[in-house]
Amino acid sequence: MTFSLRSKLFILVLASIALAVVPVISFTYRDLRESNAELEREAFGNVIVLMEDNIGSRYLGHLTNKVMDVLLRKDQLRRYSQLARSAWQDVSALPGDARQRFIANWIERLGSFGVHMDIFDAQGAPRAGTPQLALLSARPNMTDFKGRPVGSLLSLAQLSPEGEFAVFDTLPGTPGPGRASEPLLVYFLPMPETDSVVVSAMLLSDIERQALYNEQQIIRSTQEKFQTLSLGKSGFIALVSGKGELLAHHGNPKGREVALIPPPALAEARERGRTETIADTGPAFGVAIFRAAYFKALDWYVVSAAPQAEIEAPTNALVRKLAFIALAAVLVSAAGTLLLTARLIAPLRALTGRAHALAETDFSAPDAETLTANGLPTSRSDEVGQLARAFTQMGRALARNVRALMDTTAVKERMQGELNAARDIQMGILPAPDAAPKQAGYAASALLEPAKEVGGDLYDFFIAPDGRQVVVIGDVSGKGVPAALFMSMAVTLCRYAVASGLASGAAMTRINAQLAANNPGCMFVTLLIGLFDPATGALEFANGGHCPPCVTGPDAEAPRELPGISGPLVGAMEDVEYETLHAVIAPGERCLLYTDGVTEAMNERLELFDLPRLMDVLHAHREDTPAGILRALHEATVAFRGAAEQSDDITMLCFTREAA
């Protein structure tokens, strides 16, 4: 899909406004939501603290009253027991039956005050008193809440002189409805002088009833505190017992259903003291935030809940308001953008039409520079005017450049034609690669690949006046046309020097003198001239700074170089005498002459082909023809070079002395 510039500008403006507004609304919503949640947490914390203070203070008073009641009953039992001990001692002079009747009558009167009493002898048998306590001696293994058996508490040897208090469940068989599970406070006071123990007891049922009454007072007080709280429109707060009973409630009537409270929230509150949970209660209450606190002493929970939607309602309302304002801003900006783009697009369309017309403009015409500026808003001072003026300048420059390019192309075509002609002339000076003279026992081939249209490498093979085969190879310094001209001079001088019947060293001496005498460019050539007799294998050669020849045979021996340098580079210095060198080529051996463009061929990693690789290829094709050897070496250098550009001329010449 292709969008026009107007559409792109329109989309850009909308996107810019959206990028500015959306983060602001998003961050505002997030911050307000977090702030409301934090305020709710603080409000809940205040409610919990208020409830804790209210319930804690009342529970402390309830606990204090309960302790005081127990202490009062202990003091009463202690006094009654001491009084009974004194009375028993006072009537000790009476006969046994009379004494027991007196004490039994006295103890019976204590029953009206809710006190049970009896006197046990050293064997644990009751002497006088209520039948309820007589059951203690019948169950000596019964234990109190501390795990002490009755037998140890009735033993004078184990009982403390000040006496001991113990709490038992109501003794089985105790008369009275509803007392089967009521606790019984018992006091054991020793009477060593009579080998007896005074046992007095009192039920604690009235204390438990008072405790229940106090808890009800705490619940009523909590309900009154609940009424003073503001819980929002749909929230509620409830006091729930550990058994799941609703004790107090304020707010949404649905909060009276204890099953509405998530059990995990109560379990976590019991474990951690306080908790906050978000739960989905379904259609009844929706997604709500539940906060619970646990009061371990009373096994009560205070639970507060509010629908999440109600908590987030102010934030959502503000976000909707901001979104409405942002939408209005987008619409106003869009209208302004359409008007602005309408003014901007009109001159741009004119520029577009002129740009399309450039393809049909004849820039070679004399009035081409003025045609490109017609109808463009070049007088405007804004960016559109700057673009129009730049377009006009571009058209004028394009017209000038086209004419200059036409002139340059014509010159280049002439130069290319001249270079092609020079290449043809250069290659015409050198013999064809397969044009070596035919002779029994001798075969030769050459290969030349210049790096440019024309190069400075040379090779030659012909027959000397004495019948020997002449091989020549050289590498001129530099590239291009100067090197090609210097190469042609060197080839011509080589042919004349050898045709004069000179030895290879003397011929190179003459060539050096002639090149150095007329060399204003200070050019030189590495040159090797060889005279080979196929019948004897004798090779006479002169090496003027060139790469040494390589010789390989049909046997498994590695190729070898023909050592020796006859003198320095040819053409660089005058009055230089070059030495004639000698070697013997055995039947079946091949001799390779090459320029440094072979060993210095470079790949993309700037690695050189080098002499060891050349030797490996030469050895692998040691039984091949000269043309086959040159072809294998050329393919190896091309494969090694890869995508890298050829950096130097490549020239090779190979000849062989064939076996008889």
Side-chain angles (χ1 to χ4, degrees), residues 568-640:
L569 304 171
V570 179
M573 297 177 290
E574 298 185 38
D575 301 328
V576 177
E577 295 291 334
Y578 288 86
E579 179 184 358
T580 299
L581 305 174
H582 298 275
V584 175
I585 305 300
E589 289 187 331
R590 277 76 170 152
C591 182
L592 174 68
L593 310 180
Y594 63 93
T595 61
D596 59 3
V598 179
T599 56
E600 294 180 1
M602 190 178 299
N603 61 14
E604 295 174 321
R605 297 185 298 275
L606 304 182
E607 298 173 341
L608 299 179
F609 186 75
D610 219 339
L611 183 61
R613 291 187 176 88
L614 183 146
M615 290 293 195
D616 291 342
V617 177
L618 185 60
H619 183 65
H621 296 269
R622 60 185 179 275
E623 297 182 0
D624 209 343
T625 63
I629 291 175
L630 298 183
R631 184 168 52 253
L633 279 170
H634 182 257
E635 292 173 355
T637 56
V638 171
F640 175 79

Side-chain angles (χ1 to χ4, degrees), residues 90 191 451:
D90 291 341
M191 293 191 302

Side-chain angles (χ1 to χ4, degrees), residues 267-562:
E268 187 175 354
R270 176 181 288 271
E271 179 181 352
R272 300 173 55 184
R274 295 182 184 179
T275 185
E276 177 178 324
T277 303
I278 298 177
D280 187 357
T281 61
F285 204 57
V287 178
I289 300 177
F290 290 87
R291 301 177 180 90
Y294 178 64
F295 298 92
K296 184 176 182 180
L298 295 172
D299 192 23
W300 288 354
Y301 299 93
V302 174
V303 180
S304 172
Q308 190 174 22
E310 183 176 319
I311 295 175
E312 297 177 354
T315 302
N316 295 333
L318 179 59
V319 169
R320 285 193 296 270
K321 185 176 181 180
L322 291 176
F324 176 78
I325 295 174
L327 179 60
V330 169
L331 294 177
V332 172
S333 300
T337 302
L338 291 176
L339 294 176
L340 180 63
T341 53
R343 288 178 51 84
L344 181 63
I345 294 301
L348 291 179
R349 287 179 175 173
L351 284 171
T352 302
R354 181 59 59 190
H356 285 300
L358 286 178
E360 302 175 358
T361 302
D362 183 9
F363 289 100
S364 62
D367 59 346
E369 296 186 15
T370 60
L371 290 176
T372 58
N374 292 339
L376 296 181
T378 56
S379 59
R380 295 182 57 154
S381 59
D382 56 4
E383 289 78 1
V384 176
Q386 295 175 7
L387 180 60
R389 289 190 291 273
F391 185 86
T392 301
Q393 295 175 2
M394 180 194 70
R396 293 171 180 172
L398 186 59
R400 293 192 296 268
N401 291 338
V402 167
R403 289 194 294 269
L405 180 62
M406 294 173 62
D407 296 338
T408 302
T409 302
V411 173
K412 184 177 180 180
E413 289 177 350
R414 288 195 302 270
M415 291 181 61
Q416 187 64 41
E418 293 174 357
L419 286 174
N420 293 336
R423 178 183 178 87
D424 294 339
I425 294 172
Q426 180 188 17
M427 300 308 294
I429 294 174
L430 302 179
D434 55 354
K438 305 296 182 182
Q439 187 175 355
Y442 173 78
S445 184
L447 183 147
L448 188 149
E449 184 178 356
K452 296 184 177 180
E453 287 81 358
V454 292
D457 280 10
L458 61 97
Y459 73 88
D460 201 358
F461 30 53
F462 55 91
I463 299 177
D466 57 3
R468 289 182 293 178
Q469 294 287 341
V470 181
V471 291
V472 178
I473 192 168
D475 185 1
V476 178
S477 61
K479 302 286 186 298
V481 175
L485 293 175
F486 199 82
M487 179 273 291
S488 63
M489 292 176 57
V491 170
T492 303
L493 292 175
C494 285
R495 285 181 173 267
Y496 279 108
V498 175
S500 301
L502 297 176
S504 57
M508 190 170 290
T509 300
R510 177 184 291 183
I511 295 169
N512 177 72
Q514 292 174 339
L515 290 176
N518 189 18
N519 189 9
C522 297
M523 300 183 71
F524 58 85
V525 60
T526 64
L527 187 64
L528 190 146
I529 302 175
L531 284 78
F532 176 61
D533 186 358
T536 63
L539 176 62
E540 172 194 307
F541 67 97
N543 188 344
H546 198 73
C547 302
C550 295
V551 178
T552 184
D555 53 15
E557 293 184 3
R560 69 182 188 278
E561 288 186 328
L562 297 182

Side-chain angles (χ1 to χ4, degrees), residues 70 73-74 77 165-167 183-187 200-202 204:
V70 172
R73 279 157 177 75
K74 282 185 176 183
L77 291 178
F165 283 96
V167 178
L184 184 68
L185 179 63
V186 183
Y187 178 60
S200 57
M202 183 181 292
L204 298 178

Side-chain angles (χ1 to χ4, degrees), residues 177-194:
R179 293 186 177 182
S181 61
E182 293 181 356
L184 184 68
L185 179 63
V186 183
Y187 178 60
F188 299 84
L189 180 64
M191 293 191 302
E193 61 276 4
T194 60

Side-chain angles (χ1 to χ4, degrees), residues 30-50:
R30 185 193 65 184
D31 293 343
L32 287 175
R33 185 177 182 181
E34 292 177 355
S35 299
N36 285 345
E38 186 63 28
L39 290 174
E40 286 293 323
R41 292 188 184 95
E42 292 179 1
F44 172 70
N46 295 334
V47 169
I48 292 299
V49 171
L50 179 64

